[in-house]
Amino acid sequence: MAERLFFTVPAECGGMTAKWFLKGRCGLSTRMITRLKREKDGILMDGKILRTVDQVRAGAEIVISLPGEEFSFIEPVEGVLDIVYEDNCLLAVNKPPEMPVHPVKQHQTDTLANIVTWYAAQKGESYVFRTHNRLDRNTSGLVLMAKDKYSVNLLKNQVHKTYLALVHGSLSGEGVIDAPIGLRDGSKIVRCVREDGSPSVTHYRSLFHSTEYSLLSLWLETGRTHQIRCHMSSLGHPLLGDDLYGGSTERIRRQALHCAEMAFSHPVTGERLLLKAPVPEDMERLIPGSAYEVS
């Protein structure tokens, strides 16, 4: 976990107030800055306390000491992680289908959180289990975790995610679904397209289609619960295996949805990262040749 962060003030930022430098160039939220002000040596410039109203000097070294965090207990459970990327700030794994991400009433010890907690302890690390994205239990693919508040704040709205889905029917070309989503009347789970729903936009591109089903690459402008499942069902092309939204489980026993790629800039180094996760066997057997290649 990144406990201390180091920044050098570039020439063009000399004379800028510390508050705006910390927000604009270091990516800290107002809440984080307020908390750092209460910490001993929370923000230093060349070894001296830096107040938010002070001006930063070109070439000076800014050191930020991240405050400790309160942990909610998650029982560590030994398990296997398919790790796609890891460093001292981030952990990305390829989650298999049938695995919940967070513990809930019905799943207390068989979640991704349980295994990550165990894995971190084996490495002598300790951090809050904090995910950038949350996949449904039956959705497979990339889950990105930040090991500190700083990283998770910088990742917000910065990660471009690409999904793969198998849908019923023949669908070719590409398109945009711009339709608001809300809860279906009388349900606490199922979503539907409705005029009074939250704005929701889904982009799709067909990679393969037959008379029975099609393979789509999708990315979202918004991140509503069940957005892809709901939008595709509204088009008359529900996901294979998604019986909650009108799909059949004849060919696959869970919704055929996979988070295949993530592209983003590393929150600390700025390095551009492209993470990929191959589709699991239950979807791959339905896809001809290399049709599922996204890039």
Side-chain angles (χ1 to χ4, degrees), residues 33 36 52 86 113-114 121 140 155 180 221 225 262 264 272:
I33 294 171
L36 285 168
T52 54
E86 184 178 19
N114 297 117
S140 58
L155 289 172
E221 287 189 31
T225 300
M262 286 184 177
F264 58 96
R272 191 66 181 168

Side-chain angles (χ1 to χ4, degrees), residues 30-279:
T30 300
R31 179 178 297 181
M32 175 63 78
I33 294 171
T34 301
R35 186 172 179 186
L36 285 168
K37 288 165 62 177
R38 303 193 191 106
E39 299 287 326
K40 183 179 183 298
D41 297 336
I43 310 170
L44 301 177
M45 181 170 69
D46 289 340
K48 297 181 180 180
I49 297 293
L50 178 66
R51 302 176 304 168
T52 54
V53 295
D54 293 336
Q55 292 182 339
V56 297
R57 296 189 305 274
E61 181 182 64
I62 307 296
V63 179
I64 297 167
S65 297
L66 296 175
E69 301 182 80
E70 294 183 3
F71 289 74
S72 58
F73 178 75
I74 296 176
E75 182 178 347
V77 177
E78 183 175 357
V80 177
L81 294 176
D82 182 2
I83 297 175
V84 177
Y85 179 87
E86 184 178 19
D87 60 22
N88 64 333
C89 300
L90 306 174
L91 173 66
V93 303
N94 181 17
K95 185 188 81 69
E98 310 298 334
M99 177 185 287
V101 172
H102 295 85
V104 293
K105 185 177 181 180
Q106 302 88 345
H107 299 275
Q108 289 291 313
T109 60
D110 59 345
T111 72
L112 181 63
N114 297 117
I115 300 177
V116 169
T117 301
W118 173 82
Y119 170 76
Q122 299 306 301
K123 296 185 64 181
E125 297 182 351
S126 179
Y127 48 84
V128 174
F129 179 78
R130 184 189 294 105
T131 60
H132 165 74
N133 63 316
R134 182 170 183 169
L135 301 182
D136 294 337
R137 177 171 65 89
N138 288 334
T139 299
S140 58
L142 292 167
V143 176
L144 179 62
M145 289 152 274
K147 298 182 181 181
D148 57 74
K149 281 188 175 181
Y150 174 78
S151 296
V152 76
N153 181 64
L154 283 191
L155 289 172
K156 188 176 182 181
N157 300 322
Q158 300 300 315
V159 182
H160 182 86
K161 296 178 285 289
T162 303
Y163 295 83
L164 294 175
L166 287 163
V167 302
H168 286 282
S170 180
L171 185 59
S172 59
E174 56 187 43
V176 179
I177 309 169
D178 187 351
I181 290 176
L183 280 170
R184 181 183 296 173
D185 290 338
S187 177
K188 295 181 179 180
I189 299 174
V190 182
R191 269 67 179 174
C192 66
V193 170
R194 51 188 302 163
E195 290 185 0
D196 61 348
S198 300
S200 308
V201 181
T202 301
H203 297 251
Y204 70 86
R205 177 168 60 92
S206 180
L207 303 178
F208 159 82
H209 63 96
S210 69
T211 56
E212 296 182 71
Y213 59 88
S214 305
L215 174 68
L216 305 181
S217 168
L218 308 103
W219 68 273
L220 312 178
E221 287 189 31
T222 52
R224 311 301 176 197
T225 300
H226 295 181
Q227 180 171 322
I228 291 174
R229 300 167 65 186
C230 176
H231 268 173
M232 297 316 302
S233 179
S234 73
L235 282 190
H237 296 280
L239 273 62
L240 270 62
D242 192 3
D243 53 358
L244 189 65
Y245 286 92
S248 168
T249 58
E250 181 180 355
R251 290 182 175 272
I252 187 171
R253 298 182 62 83
R254 54 102 179 183
Q255 68 254 18
L257 182 61
H258 178 74
C259 184
E261 288 189 1
M262 286 184 177
F264 58 96
S265 295
H266 192 282
V268 174
T269 67
E271 177 189 0
R272 191 66 181 168
L273 298 175
L274 175 61
L275 310 182
K276 297 185 179 185
V279 296

